[in-house]
Amino acid sequence: MLTITEFNSLSPREQAAMVLEQGRYLHHIIRGWCKIDLYWFHNYYVEVWFLYDLKTIGLVRALTNKASLDPYLETIKLRVKT
């Protein structure tokens, strides 16, 4: 399992490749010029910021606190099986 520290030491290209291949997509939000995808990756959350063209990744960042999830909580809907 890749720790958040190890993940942050990778290049942005390596981070994006790993998250897109191994991460579990959860949700997205739109912020101005970006579509921001939220992934669960190992035991933490990672955002992948796609630029307006939706082909170029502008930023990959591991979220390190719960407050970073607040923008997603406004719009996410989860199906819970009972």
Side-chain angles (χ1 to χ4, degrees), residues 1 4-6 8 16 20-21 23 26 31 36 40 46 49 60 66 75 77-78 80-81:
M1 179 159 34
I4 198 165
T5 303
E6 292 168 330
N8 286 335
L20 294 175
E21 182 180 309
L26 297 174
R31 291 286 184 256
I36 308 167
W40 176 249
V46 176
W49 292 53
V60 179
K66 291 181 183 180
T75 60
K77 295 189 185 336
L78 300 174
V80 179
K81 294 183 180 183

Side-chain angles (χ1 to χ4, degrees), residues 6-65:
E6 292 168 330
F7 180 80
N8 286 335
S9 71
L10 299 173
S11 73
R13 184 177 297 250
E14 292 171 314
Q15 291 173 338
M18 290 184 79
V19 170
L20 294 175
E21 182 180 309
Q22 301 171 26
R24 179 168 291 216
Y25 172 81
L26 297 174
H27 192 53
H28 76 272
I29 56 176
I30 304 295
R31 291 286 184 256
W33 46 270
C34 285
K35 175 182 176 261
I36 308 167
D37 287 350
L38 179 67
Y39 289 84
W40 176 249
F41 184 70
H42 294 282
N43 63 345
Y44 46 91
Y45 297 96
V46 176
E47 289 179 329
V48 179
W49 292 53
F50 290 92
L51 300 179
Y52 182 72
D53 64 8
L54 299 180
K55 296 175 186 169
T56 307
I57 295 174
L59 176 68
V60 179
R61 74 175 185 149
L63 304 181
T64 57
N65 59 58

